[in-house]
Amino acid sequence: MLSSVPPDEPPLLLAARRQPTPFTPVWLMRQAGRYMPEYRALRARHSFLDLCKTPQAAAEVTLQPVERLGVDAAILFADILLIVEPLGVGLEFAKGEGPVIHRPVRAASDVARLAAIDVPSALGFVFETVRLARHALAASIPLIGFAGAPFTVASYVIEGGPSRDYAATKRLMHEEPEAWARLLALLARATTMYLNGQIAAGAQAVQLFDSWVGALSPDDYREFVLPHTRAVIRGLTPGVPVIHFGTGTAGLLSAMREAGGDVIGLDWRIDLDAGWRAVGDDIAVQGNLDPVALLSPPARFEPAVRSILGRARGRRGHIFNLGHGILQSTPVDHVKALVAMVHELSSR
Ligand code: CP3
């Protein structure tokens, strides 16, 4: 429960608790990354995994968008797949291809061989990044921690990388339901410890990324995924807002709300007000500009920003964000203009 509100709470945390804010707070998924020249400069010296595992550098990347864009929160620089590396599945971020898992988990016998993830020893570097970033940030800028939700992380472990149809994932789910449940429970336990470790290290809100959950039918979501996501959210340190995010979720929003979260992420495929009705007016929402809009100059995306703010109608509990991550080809000036635009159009 998010009842007591400390004085001087940053706007983004107030919005997550559906308290009044002086303007609509905004942060952007993938606000740190290759579209930013200062990120590319660091990446010239470190591989992506190296960057994630060097807390000093990862904390620096966490801060870059705050300094450059004027966003109302920082998000930890890490990746949703770091948690699977200790499973020994052979995680690699291949140039130009995104993540690759060299030894995917395809059969019940593969699942049976997996040992529990020793979170403190395998992921301590992430907690150190959180401590360094929190220490370097102004008190007015909350730090958001994150993890992948069990389904989305399992989909990478099973498919070995991104997928169009999630055929191997759904096949394991339907043909080997016990192995599926074991895999998701193993990921859920590790994810709970991982997020609580981030919270203990200084994360003031956490986002659970179920990016690819929109591939599922509502019935499959409720039967095979919801219980595991709910177990993660129920296991988190109380009082820290949880943002529950997915894409392609227009048909899943009420079920996602059942799974939990104080804020539900909305992608751009649904009107913000319709999405808000679907999750319920008594919780907060985050979203929901199409990231592709930012490729065009500000005058072109301003109507879409006005439309989103208009649909939010100044109600408590709206965090402005994109419906998914910033694209690599996005001009930094457009992103900066977006943040200023949201602040200006929403200030009251
Ligand atoms: O700024 C932030 O949002 C924080 C950092 C962050 C990264 N990944 C850094 C990253 C976050 C929150 C993530 C989450 C993540 N990672 C998700 C969920 C969000 C989403 O987009 O749905 C997923 C599915 C992943 C898995 C992943 N990692 C993919 C698919 C890729 C390839 C993306 C691409 O465009 O090539 C990555 C690599 C990755 N994660 C990069 C960054 C900055 C690019 C790596 C590089 O610098 O070469």
Side-chain angles (χ1 to χ4, degrees):
M1 279 285 101
L2 304 174
S3 40
S4 65
V5 180
D8 308 323
E9 186 88 312
L12 185 125
L13 296 177
L14 288 171
R17 298 181 156 98
R18 297 183 62 253
Q19 298 295 318
T21 56
F23 51 83
T24 302
V26 46
W27 72 279
L28 305 165
M29 286 181 275
R30 289 285 176 90
Q31 65 187 18
R34 286 166 300 186
Y35 79 101
M36 231 183 236
E38 51 270 56
Y39 174 77
R40 290 197 301 271
L42 265 175
R43 270 288 272 117
R45 291 188 275 123
H46 300 268
S47 73
F48 175 66
L49 264 181
D50 216 33
L51 203 48
C52 291
K53 291 179 179 178
T54 310
Q56 198 58 255
E60 190 181 330
V61 177
T62 302
L63 264 54
Q64 284 173 348
V66 176
E67 287 155 8
R68 176 72 90 121
L69 307 172
V71 284
D72 298 300
I75 179 159
L76 164 71
F77 184 78
D79 196 85
I80 63 164
L81 296 178
L82 296 176
I83 199 165
V84 306
E85 208 186 23
L87 291 176
V89 291
L91 173 67
E92 186 194 344
F93 288 88
K95 254 205 167 69
E97 289 174 52
V100 180
I101 282 167
H102 291 291
R103 291 176 292 281
V105 170
R106 288 281 165 85
S109 56
D110 299 330
V111 176
R113 274 196 291 274
L114 298 174
I117 299 168
D118 182 352
V119 170
S121 76
L123 293 156
F125 61 89
V126 174
F127 305 145
E128 185 56 20
T129 302
V130 170
R131 274 188 286 273
L132 292 175
R134 182 56 270 164
H135 184 73
L137 282 164
S140 57
I141 302 295
L143 177 61
I144 302 171
F146 75 91
F151 171 79
T152 290
V153 174
S155 79
Y156 281 99
V157 169
I158 296 165
E159 305 286 341
S163 172
R164 242 187 125 67
D165 48 23
Y166 299 92
T169 305
K170 292 180 183 181
R171 194 166 161 215
L172 187 74
M173 189 171 94
H174 289 125
E175 292 184 12
E176 306 277 5
E178 285 168 15
W180 171 264
R182 182 171 183 269
L183 175 61
L184 265 77
L186 179 151
L187 292 173
R189 271 194 298 276
T191 302
T192 307
M193 283 190 270
Y194 182 45
L195 287 173
N196 282 336
Q198 293 179 31
I199 291 166
Q204 295 142 288
V206 291
Q207 175 153 325
L208 201 53
F209 282 94
D210 214 349
S211 304
W212 311 132
V213 75
L216 293 173
S217 73
D219 280 343
D220 282 349
Y221 178 78
R222 284 191 202 92
E223 179 172 356
F224 295 106
V225 174
L226 187 153
H228 301 285
T229 301
R230 175 152 53 200
V232 174
I233 294 174
R234 288 196 173 156
L236 296 179
T237 307
V240 174
V242 177
I243 308 168
H244 184 183
F245 166 81
T247 70
T249 53
L252 296 179
L253 289 170
S254 63
M256 284 176 71
R257 193 245 157 102
E258 270 176 62
D262 304 288
V263 183
I264 305 286
L266 301 173
D267 78 0
W268 64 94
R269 297 170 183 94
I270 188 165
D271 288 331
L272 184 114
D273 47 349
W276 209 335
R277 267 196 305 280
V279 299
D281 278 329
D282 55 336
I283 61 171
V285 297
Q286 173 177 283
N288 70 338
L289 183 67
D290 184 346
V292 173
L294 292 184
L295 300 184
S296 302
R300 295 279 172 191
F301 62 72
E302 183 176 329
V305 172
R306 285 185 182 272
S307 166
I308 291 166
L309 292 171
R311 290 176 190 282
R313 295 201 324 270
R315 275 177 288 182
R316 298 172 185 189
H318 177 214
I319 297 172
F320 195 99
N321 205 315
L322 304 176
H324 205 171
I326 295 182
L327 299 172
Q328 196 185 339
S329 54
T330 308
V332 177
D333 285 349
H334 295 186
V335 185
K336 230 179 127 169
L338 170 69
V339 176
M341 191 184 289
V342 172
H343 285 159
E344 154 108 28
L345 292 175
S346 67
S347 54
R348 37 197 173 249

